[in-house]
Amino acid sequence: MDYLSQLIQPGADQLLLLIAACALLESLAFVGLLLPGVALLFLLASMAAEQGLGLTAVLSAAFAGALLGDGLSFLLGRYAADRIAQLPLLQKHPEWLSRSEAFFRRYGIASLFIGRFIGPLRPLIPFIAGTLGLRPGRYLAINIASALLWAPFYLLPGYLAGLALSSLQLNPGLLLELLLILALSIWLYTLLHQQLSQMSLRYPLNALLLLFCSSSLFSLLCYLQISGQWQVQNEALFRQLYATPQAIQPLLYNLAASLTRLGDTIYILGASLALSFWLWRQGQRLAGFSFISLIVGGKLFNSLLKWLIAAPRPEPGMTLSSYSFPSGHSSAASTFFCALAVILACGGTAGVRRTLYLCALIPAVLVALSRPVLGVHWPLDVASGLIEGIFLASLLRLWLFFRDHDFCIQVQQKSQLLTALAVYTLIYVAISVWLF
């Protein structure tokens, strides 16, 4: 066994305690600012999946730790705010508290929910809520609701990565090293993103970085598909996702069949046309035209790649006539939701932009996962489709930055837009499931 796995190989109980402790520290006032919690949680969740720990236990440990960390932060703000404000670290960085307090005063109790998903605010908003005298019962109710969503949002990517790597049947030492590399990469990218956000007054450095990373990764995935060097691993991971336990297979299949509708051409084009027309009516003609052009251009680009590579579908999906690589549903959903996040994020702060981009990845990733679960795409297909959409959205971000730098939508208009999209989505999914 590799030396690294001998050094770090906690058992199941210890691993759950580590997840809870990391979630606690990530949510604890001021400590969370200094801890690379996202990367650590990714690593621990991956290790939990590799050891066969149930997802429910992993999410419960993270939920409990986050709840306790936020509770301690709230109590510190309620009973020890004056003494803590005199600490040398806070004297050196007074903007930490001033910005968090301004955010809380602007959004009220909604900031407790929003702030949990924004890295720099997550460990500070509960402290500010306690400082300003928010009632404990009201705080606890919102805190529980937000923690229930926070746990899967931050733990699922690592857990799924652990499942994917474990299905490749790698030796424990190599697997652990890969997980460490992934966690370190996430931490470095987050750190770099924060630094670039402070330098992006004249140039969209983050968008350029994302364009470079996504195009490089997409090129690598195309190479792996064409060369066939990842065929064995691709088939192994497909079996892992498709051959689900019989006890939950009907439920999982029906859920995947509903989620995959968010990548249907009719749904994407309908929503895109409506959004583009709405932007046109708001006087944002360039943004509206750019959005619908990106969606249509992305669809044509995906179809051309399918025809050029001509990859066959998995056995269960052979009834579909089109080729497999890259996944059209994954590409369409990723392009639409990530481009929508670009539209909504323009004019927002760096923290708001990061939150919107992460939220956009949730439906995109769910659509991508639904395809191999339904047996109609290989994992490499959906990964390439997901990265393709991110690449196209980064192009839209750059285009709007250079052609319409002052483009911005008011908060009230964003709320109306998201409400209309949610209603349209529910109606479309309900009708399509009922008909098919």
Side-chain angles (χ1 to χ4, degrees), residues 120-173:
L121 293 176
R122 183 165 50 254
L124 295 179
I125 290 296
F127 178 85
I128 296 297
T131 301
L132 298 180
L134 185 67
R135 293 197 301 272
R138 197 176 188 185
Y139 165 76
L140 184 61
I142 300 174
N143 189 34
I144 291 175
S146 62
L148 285 173
L149 289 178
W150 175 86
F153 187 78
Y154 273 79
L155 274 293
L156 266 179
Y159 192 85
L160 293 173
L163 284 179
L165 290 174
S166 64
S167 69
L168 303 183
Q169 299 179 349
L170 303 173
N171 69 75

Side-chain angles (χ1 to χ4, degrees), residues 268-269 272-273 290-303 335:
I268 296 295
L269 284 180
S272 300
L273 285 170
S290 301
F291 191 91
I292 191 63
S293 299
L294 184 80
I295 298 299
V296 175
K299 184 65 178 177
L300 294 175
F301 177 67
N302 181 269
S303 301
T335 304

Side-chain angles (χ1 to χ4, degrees), residues 107-342:
Y107 294 103
I109 59 173
S111 64
L112 294 171
F113 194 92
I114 301 171
R116 183 180 285 280
F117 299 92
I118 302 177
L121 293 176
R122 183 165 50 254
L124 295 179
I125 290 296
F127 178 85
I128 296 297
T131 301
L132 298 180
L134 185 67
R135 293 197 301 272
R138 197 176 188 185
Y139 165 76
L140 184 61
I142 300 174
N143 189 34
I144 291 175
S146 62
L148 285 173
L149 289 178
W150 175 86
F153 187 78
Y154 273 79
L155 274 293
L156 266 179
Y159 192 85
L160 293 173
L163 284 179
L165 290 174
S166 64
S167 69
L168 303 183
Q169 299 179 349
L170 303 173
N171 69 75
L174 179 58
L175 179 61
L176 187 57
E177 289 180 356
L178 288 174
L179 292 176
L180 284 171
I181 291 172
L182 282 173
L184 181 62
S185 300
I186 292 174
W187 177 67
L188 288 175
Y189 184 84
T190 303
L191 184 63
L192 185 59
H193 188 279
Q194 293 174 354
Q195 295 297 321
L196 291 180
S197 296
Q198 301 172 7
M199 303 164 54
S200 299
L201 298 178
R202 296 183 58 189
Y203 299 101
L205 301 178
N206 280 319
L208 288 170
L209 174 65
L210 185 60
L211 180 69
F212 172 76
C213 293
S214 59
S215 60
S216 300
L217 183 54
F218 184 71
S219 300
L220 174 62
L221 294 175
C222 289
Y223 168 75
L224 291 175
Q225 172 64 40
I226 295 172
S227 65
Q229 293 188 19
W230 212 63
Q231 182 176 353
V232 175
Q233 295 89 338
N234 202 21
E235 293 175 354
L237 184 54
F238 173 79
R239 290 192 295 269
Q240 183 83 11
L241 293 171
Y242 181 67
T244 54
Q246 291 298 318
I248 66 170
Q249 189 171 2
L251 175 62
L252 187 58
Y253 186 90
N254 291 332
L255 179 61
S258 300
L259 289 171
T260 203
R261 302 293 180 187
L262 300 183
D264 288 353
T265 301
I266 296 177
Y267 168 80
I268 296 295
L269 284 180
S272 300
L273 285 170
L275 174 60
S276 300
F277 179 73
W278 181 83
L279 288 171
W280 187 279
R281 291 289 303 272
Q282 299 297 321
Q284 304 289 352
R285 297 187 176 186
L286 177 63
F289 178 76
S290 301
F291 191 91
I292 191 63
S293 299
L294 184 80
I295 298 299
V296 175
K299 184 65 178 177
L300 294 175
F301 177 67
N302 181 269
S303 301
L304 177 62
L305 277 178
K306 280 191 172 187
W307 178 75
L308 290 173
I309 297 176
R313 290 183 181 267
E315 187 78 23
M318 292 301 291
T319 54
L320 298 179
S321 58
S322 60
Y323 291 117
S324 189
F325 183 94
S327 168
H329 273 70
S330 299
S331 173
S334 179
T335 304
F336 173 77
F337 288 108
C338 292
L340 175 63
V342 168

